[in-house]
Amino acid sequence: MTKIAFIGLGNMGGGMAANLAKAGHEVVAFDLSADALTRAEARGAARAASAEAAVKGAQAVITMLPAGRHVREVYDSAVIGKAPKQAILIDCSTIDVATAREEIEKAKAAGYAMVDAPVSGGIAAAEAGSLTFMVGGADAAFERARPLLEAMGKAVIHAGGPGSGQAAKICNNMLLGASMVATCETFVMAKKLGLDLQTFFDISSKASGQNWSMTSYCPVPGVGPETPADRDYEGGFAAALMLKDLRLAMEAAQSVDAYTPMGAEAEELYTRFAEGLGGGSKDFSGIIRMIDDSWQAPEGSGAAPLPPGVKLGDSR
Ligand code: NAD
């Protein structure tokens, strides 16, 4: 049994902390949201009054926070220098590579072992304990984090040194965003060319166009396995989160002078769908509705309606 401080019990952290408690660990939880804390308590965690109180006496600290600035704030103010030096520090949030490296460096200088360990898999995988963890950090730190991550996931992979988990995560999600857009535009064109979409799926999924966005996560309702497309693009991986990851990817690309035209195009298209057209809460495959011109921006989303006769495809 390990005494774990768990900070950030939102959509993802809630399920992850519950799985650690279920595995027999002592989980002490803190979140700025009282509701999130109440839910965590009901699922086996003890409630702490602050992040600093949560890390007191902890053997491990796990964070699952929205973005880099939250991670920096929590580690700088309440973890580094406050948790026992023997505690292993594990940040599972998806954040920029630079902040991940800086925080691991600061932790190391203060005598801690720390890893970045972002996840692949959404809320359902967090609940089911079937996340995939991509871990960056020294070998010894990875080995200390591994058993705890295994209690929350189905795969734990050492990606390399500090920040490598975040690098692997955004590279993967840049590929996913670009391949989803390519899959969507392909199906829209196939339809316009008169193809039956199930027949096209059967052909392309066995031909060289085959890719995960099509065969496992087809954006067309009723084609391929059941996906968010069959639930009006509800649930799944929100377009706003895909946009967040694409922005992190573009930031990282710039920092190392990598030429990423497809990633940049995907970022622009998801910006338009998630922010310009109010599609942020829809599954990311819902971008097909922007591409086929059938998207209706939700009321109150602030999205400007297109002038009569102008198609989404024309507005580029
Ligand atoms: P969320 O917004 O539901 O949860 C974040 C929680 O952090 C909230 O409960 C918030 O109150 C808490 N928080 C914020 N600042 C805090 C602070 N200073 N101290 C304590 N608590 C604080 O977000 P989520 O969906 O759980 O995502 C968490 C991370 O996981 C993000 O980095 C996200 O990109 C990543 N991620 C999410 C998904 C997904 O499908 N939701 C999938 C993969 C990765």
Side-chain angles (χ1 to χ4, degrees):
M1 187 195 76
T2 304
K3 185 173 180 193
I4 303 166
F6 203 112
I7 303 169
L9 297 118
N11 289 320
M12 298 291 290
M16 292 162 71
N19 284 325
L20 289 169
K22 225 189 284 173
H25 298 294
E26 182 186 345
V27 179
V28 182
F30 178 70
D31 194 294
L32 294 177
S33 152
D35 285 351
L37 271 182
T38 303
R39 281 194 296 273
E41 233 180 342
R43 302 181 74 184
R47 191 183 188 114
S50 65
E52 204 175 324
V55 306
K56 211 167 167 220
Q59 295 164 295
V61 177
I62 302 181
T63 42
M64 192 52 166
L65 297 161
R69 66 191 162 87
H70 308 93
V71 171
R72 186 181 298 115
E73 184 204 313
V74 167
Y75 277 85
D76 290 358
S77 71
V79 179
I80 298 175
K82 306 288 183 345
K85 290 278 159 68
Q86 306 78 354
I88 173 79
L89 312 182
I90 306 172
D91 178 39
C92 296
S93 329
T94 301
I95 67 169
D96 58 289
V97 177
T99 302
R101 290 195 171 138
E102 271 164 38
E103 290 308 312
I104 293 178
E105 204 43 56
K106 279 186 218 164
K108 192 177 160 199
Y112 295 90
M114 177 173 177
V115 295
D116 54 299
V119 306
S120 173
I123 302 163
E127 287 292 326
S130 60
L131 293 165
T132 294
F133 289 90
M134 303 155 223
V135 189
D139 290 353
F142 170 73
E143 288 307 332
R144 289 180 62 198
R146 187 212 292 264
L148 297 177
L149 298 176
E150 279 172 350
M152 302 182 283
K154 66 170 168 26
V156 179
I157 301 161
H158 193 186
S164 301
Q166 300 295 351
K169 162 92 188 176
I170 52 164
C171 285
N172 179 72
N173 280 19
M174 182 175 84
L175 179 57
L176 175 63
S179 75
M180 178 54 81
V181 169
T183 301
C184 290
E185 68 185 30
T186 299
F187 273 95
V188 172
M189 184 169 96
K191 189 173 177 190
K192 289 189 173 178
L193 289 171
L195 290 172
D196 173 74
L197 293 188
Q198 182 61 54
T199 306
F200 174 66
F201 176 90
D202 293 342
I203 294 167
S204 196
S205 60
K206 289 178 188 60
S208 47
Q210 188 276 338
N211 72 90
W212 186 90
S213 293
M214 175 172 61
T215 52
S216 297
Y217 214 89
C218 189
V220 181
V223 175
E226 200 195 317
T227 65
D230 300 304
R231 304 186 293 272
D232 191 25
Y233 304 96
E234 294 297 336
F237 182 50
L241 286 175
M242 172 50 83
L243 176 57
K244 172 192 166 182
D245 291 355
L246 286 168
R247 284 181 172 153
L248 289 175
M250 291 306 97
E251 208 178 300
Q254 256 191 353
S255 76
V256 292
D257 199 19
Y259 179 51
T260 54
M262 304 295 282
E265 186 65 22
E267 187 213 359
E268 188 195 319
L269 291 166
Y270 274 101
T271 299
R272 197 137 61 88
F273 179 59
E275 293 182 346
L277 297 169
S281 66
K282 288 285 181 184
D283 179 74
F284 80 115
S285 63
I287 199 166
I288 195 171
R289 305 269 314 273
M290 179 177 95
I291 291 169
D292 72 5
D293 269 323
S294 67
W295 174 251
Q296 303 280 334
E299 261 181 52
S301 67
L306 292 173
V310 175
K311 292 181 163 193
L312 291 170
D314 298 337
S315 61
R316 307 212 49 210

